[in-house]
Amino acid sequence: MLTLAFIVVVLAALGGLAVWLTRTLQAFSAQADAGFAVRNAEVERRLQGITETMDRRLGELDTKVDRRLEHASKQTNAIHKQLGDVGRATTTLAEHAK
């Protein structure tokens, strides 16, 4: 009879421990989820800031490249015109030399 009482007490203690452990794990899980949510929000905020910075810098680079290409195009056209003038002058000199 004493062993039966002892077994009942041990089983009751194990049941109580199981209930306590379940509640503790649920509380820990909820706390971990809240912590992850805060960290995820922080990471999202930082990524948004990085994205905005990258967009702004890429826009600035795009503007610089466009200006440089326009300048290079103007210079190329001027050189092409001057080469045409040199070609005509060379032809004229060659005709006068004959």
Side-chain angles (χ1 to χ4, degrees):
M1 185 67 143
L2 186 61
T3 55
L4 183 60
F6 179 72
I7 291 175
V8 169
V9 169
V10 169
L11 287 177
L14 286 176
L17 180 63
V19 170
W20 174 82
L21 187 57
T22 302
R23 288 181 183 167
T24 302
L25 288 175
Q26 287 174 346
F28 177 73
S29 177
Q31 185 180 14
D33 288 345
F36 287 140
V38 168
R39 287 192 179 155
N40 284 343
E42 178 65 21
V43 167
E44 182 66 30
R45 187 186 63 77
R46 287 182 183 180
L47 283 175
Q48 183 66 30
I50 290 170
T51 301
E52 289 171 1
T53 300
M54 291 297 291
D55 286 345
R56 182 178 45 80
R57 289 184 180 173
L58 286 173
E60 291 170 359
L61 286 174
D62 191 36
T63 302
K64 286 179 184 178
V65 168
D66 285 345
R67 276 196 315 253
R68 288 180 181 171
L69 282 174
E70 183 180 347
H71 181 69
S73 177
K74 287 179 182 177
Q75 285 183 332
T76 302
N77 289 338
I79 290 170
H80 183 63
K81 182 182 178 288
Q82 289 175 352
L83 284 174
D85 293 343
V86 169
R88 283 189 293 278
T90 302
T91 303
T92 303
L93 284 175
E95 289 175 4
H96 285 309
K98 288 181 184 177

